[in-house]
Amino acid sequence: MSARKIEFLYQSLSDTQAIIRATDVKLGFLFAIVLLPITVFGDIYAVALNIANDSKLMMVGLGLIAILWFLSFYTLFLGVVAISNPYKSVSGEKAEGSFHGGDLFKFKFTDRFMNRPVLSKYTVDDVVKTLPESDAEIIQELVFEKIKTAYIRDIKTKRASQCVVLAFLWITLGAAIWGYHLFKVSLEC
């Protein structure tokens, strides 16, 4: 029975990690969409100034678009940034964490910007001692890792979904304001 549980948990972990990778690909696509307005910022700015002169309501709408765009960029950025320590998101008794070997190194702030030799906090023998010895300990380790990867999967998908909603809102509002402006200009001609 333990072998089936171990295989089930291992496959579940593998599936969750695949979903995380797929979400990261989607986030990359969203980056292209969210950053697209920057490539034509000069044109957008000129049109926005023209629209802002129409009324204060249009100015408020343009301000709302800018806020929604920034929030979509922010949630997108949060979705891409690595989750620092999912260990903290697991409640109750925690396993050793030997599956992914988290917390093996102590990095300094400068290590984010330059390479230097960083020695592990533990020796090979220390790590070997943390490896599970029984099927029950293996199951506990796999469940612990499953919870951590599920947290990463869930937070990334929530942030990606929030980014999509925010992008939809600023694109829709922008299209509505642009359409109204074109309609108003056509009536004036």
Side-chain angles (χ1 to χ4, degrees), residues 71-137:
L71 289 174
S72 68
F73 178 75
Y74 181 70
T75 57
L76 179 60
F77 184 75
L78 286 178
V80 172
V81 171
I83 308 298
S84 63
N85 194 355
Y87 174 89
K88 295 176 183 176
S89 299
V90 178
S91 59
E93 185 180 332
K94 296 172 176 56
E96 290 287 332
S98 61
F99 189 80
H100 280 126
D103 198 38
L104 287 177
F105 298 92
K106 180 151 177 75
F107 296 104
K108 294 182 179 179
F109 180 76
T110 54
D111 292 323
R112 299 172 192 190
F113 305 103
M114 60 194 317
N115 288 331
R116 67 176 187 87
V118 178
L119 297 176
S120 63
K121 294 184 341 187
Y122 307 103
T123 66
V124 172
D125 290 336
D126 292 336
V127 174
V128 168
K129 289 176 188 172
T130 67
L131 295 177
E133 293 184 15
S134 68
D135 284 353
E137 289 175 342

